[in-house]
Amino acid sequence: MLIKRIKSISSPKNHLFFCLIAMSVLFLNSCSTNHLNKNFNIQNTCSNQAFTDSTHKAQTKVLAKKLDTQGNQFFLQRVYSEAKECYKQALKIRAAHLSKTHPSIFDNLINLATLAEVTEEYDIAKKHYINAKKLLNPKSPHHRKKFHSTKAFLFAINAHNKSFGNSIKTLKLTITGYQQILGQTSMNLSTTRHQLANLYLQEKQYSKSEKEFTRSLGTIQKFIGTQHPYFAKVLYDYAHLLKYRNKHAQAEKIEQRADSIMLKFPKKQHVKLYQKQQLSPRQ
């Protein structure tokens, strides 16, 4: 019986059958191995691509940062054309390789706006500040401070530009309009009061000027705090008025306070708008 079974297994027909089974097993093993190798290669390629992208992004940040540093150096040396080129190239690199809301793009726009301020290209400065402000969400706790700070730079430009050619009557009507639309506390209202205070100073209406200065300062600090260059500028103007009222000791203290604010701020933002250049009473 056993001999018959052996003969049956070793017959050519059964031998062929077992060969086919063995070949099928080998084929399936081969397919499985190839599939695993293919998956491994895909994962490896993706991993390498992610590594390449990450490395490229890091290199982009380094290059843009170097351009910022070089731009700042040119700025402080008053080589403004070169500073502008550095800042523009840095922005171009970031815009091409980083997300539109990346924090460094905001900083880049502030650099360009500050440069435009110091060269008295106020329309260009306003454009950069507005674009920077668009990147921020005022409702976000992380963005709120930057948002109000950027708005303050815009208001400072508006206040500077409108300090010339406006009449007291026009500004008082503007204040009334802001009060009706925006209420008693808004940056628009406080900057207009600042302009009105300076015009009263020019007209030698010193008591009215002082009243508007104190109102302006009280509102401004609610929005941007007491460490912003624009707040310092209003303090300088207020101190200037106090000197005309013979309140020299008080004026000196306020000037020192304004100086301490500006010392904490980057030198490149000590632009003409925030320096001690006040309006004087008309002769």
Side-chain angles (χ1 to χ4, degrees):
M1 189 74 167
L2 181 60
I3 294 168
K4 283 183 179 180
R5 218 177 235 182
I6 292 168
K7 284 182 178 179
S8 172
I9 291 171
S10 60
S11 67
K13 187 177 180 180
N14 286 333
H15 182 71
L16 179 61
F17 175 73
F18 283 117
C19 284
L20 288 170
I21 290 174
M23 289 174 68
S24 298
V25 170
L26 288 170
F27 176 74
L28 288 171
N29 283 337
S30 174
C31 287
S32 177
T33 303
N34 288 337
H35 181 68
L36 288 171
N37 287 338
K38 188 176 181 182
N39 281 344
F40 174 77
N41 288 335
I42 290 170
Q43 290 174 358
N44 195 36
T45 302
C46 291
S47 176
N48 287 338
Q49 183 63 39
F51 176 75
T52 302
D53 290 345
S54 176
T55 305
H56 184 63
K57 189 175 284 189
Q59 290 173 343
T60 296
K61 288 180 181 179
V62 170
L63 178 57
K65 191 68 179 174
K66 283 182 178 178
L67 284 165
D68 285 341
T69 303
Q70 195 171 2
N72 291 341
Q73 289 171 350
F74 281 128
F75 189 106
L76 294 173
Q77 293 167 7
R78 299 184 181 182
V79 188
Y80 298 131
S81 59
E82 294 296 330
K84 184 178 181 180
E85 192 59 34
C86 288
Y87 291 151
K88 284 175 70 176
Q89 288 300 319
L91 182 61
K92 187 176 180 181
I93 290 168
R94 287 182 172 118
H97 300 285
L98 302 176
S99 67
K100 292 180 180 179
T101 56
H102 196 279
S104 62
I105 291 179
F106 171 85
D107 294 335
N108 219 145
L109 288 167
I110 296 297
N111 282 339
L112 285 165
T114 305
L115 178 63
E117 276 189 78
V118 80
T119 55
E120 299 184 358
E121 298 172 284
Y122 294 120
D123 288 340
I124 294 173
K126 285 170 70 174
K127 179 183 173 183
H128 290 311
Y129 280 132
I130 289 167
N131 287 335
K133 189 162 67 74
K134 287 177 182 177
L135 301 178
L136 303 172
N137 177 6
K139 294 180 181 179
S140 167
H142 302 293
H143 288 180
R144 194 175 295 126
K145 188 176 179 181
K146 280 186 175 181
F147 182 83
H148 287 303
S149 177
T150 307
K151 277 186 74 174
F153 286 125
L154 275 167
F155 282 123
I157 292 172
N158 287 333
H160 176 78
N161 288 342
K162 291 176 182 177
S163 289
F164 310 97
N166 269 322
S167 67
I168 289 174
K169 183 179 178 181
T170 301
L171 289 177
K172 287 175 76 174
L173 286 171
T174 304
I175 287 171
T176 302
Y178 282 144
Q179 287 173 328
Q180 291 173 351
I181 298 167
L182 304 171
Q184 295 297 322
T185 54
S186 72
M187 277 296 293
N188 303 68
L189 183 61
S190 57
T191 52
T192 307
R193 287 195 185 283
H194 177 208
Q195 296 163 42
L196 182 59
N198 277 328
L199 285 181
Y200 275 137
L201 188 157
Q202 282 189 301
E203 297 299 324
K204 300 181 183 179
Q205 298 183 47
Y206 299 136
S207 59
K208 289 182 179 180
S209 178
E210 185 168 0
K211 187 177 179 180
E212 293 302 330
F213 272 124
T214 53
R215 283 177 171 178
S216 177
L217 287 165
T219 309
I220 288 171
Q221 65 183 330
K222 290 179 182 179
F223 289 92
I224 60 173
T226 58
Q227 299 301 312
H228 194 283
Y230 182 51
F231 188 79
K233 173 60 179 172
V234 182
L235 287 175
Y236 282 136
D237 289 351
Y238 182 31
H240 189 61
L241 163 75
L242 291 172
K243 289 175 184 177
Y244 281 103
R245 302 207 74 188
N246 294 318
K247 298 180 180 181
H248 297 287
Q250 188 182 350
E252 187 178 350
K253 285 182 180 179
I254 289 173
E255 276 196 341
Q256 287 173 355
R257 186 182 175 190
D259 288 340
S260 68
I261 293 169
M262 295 308 293
L263 284 172
K264 293 174 186 174
F265 235 75
K267 282 186 179 181
K268 66 179 181 177
Q269 288 192 319
H270 293 201
V271 297
K272 293 179 183 179
L273 273 180
Y274 310 110
Q275 292 171 2
K276 300 177 188 178
Q277 295 179 348
Q278 296 91 1
L279 297 170
S280 297
R282 291 192 178 102
Q283 300 300 320

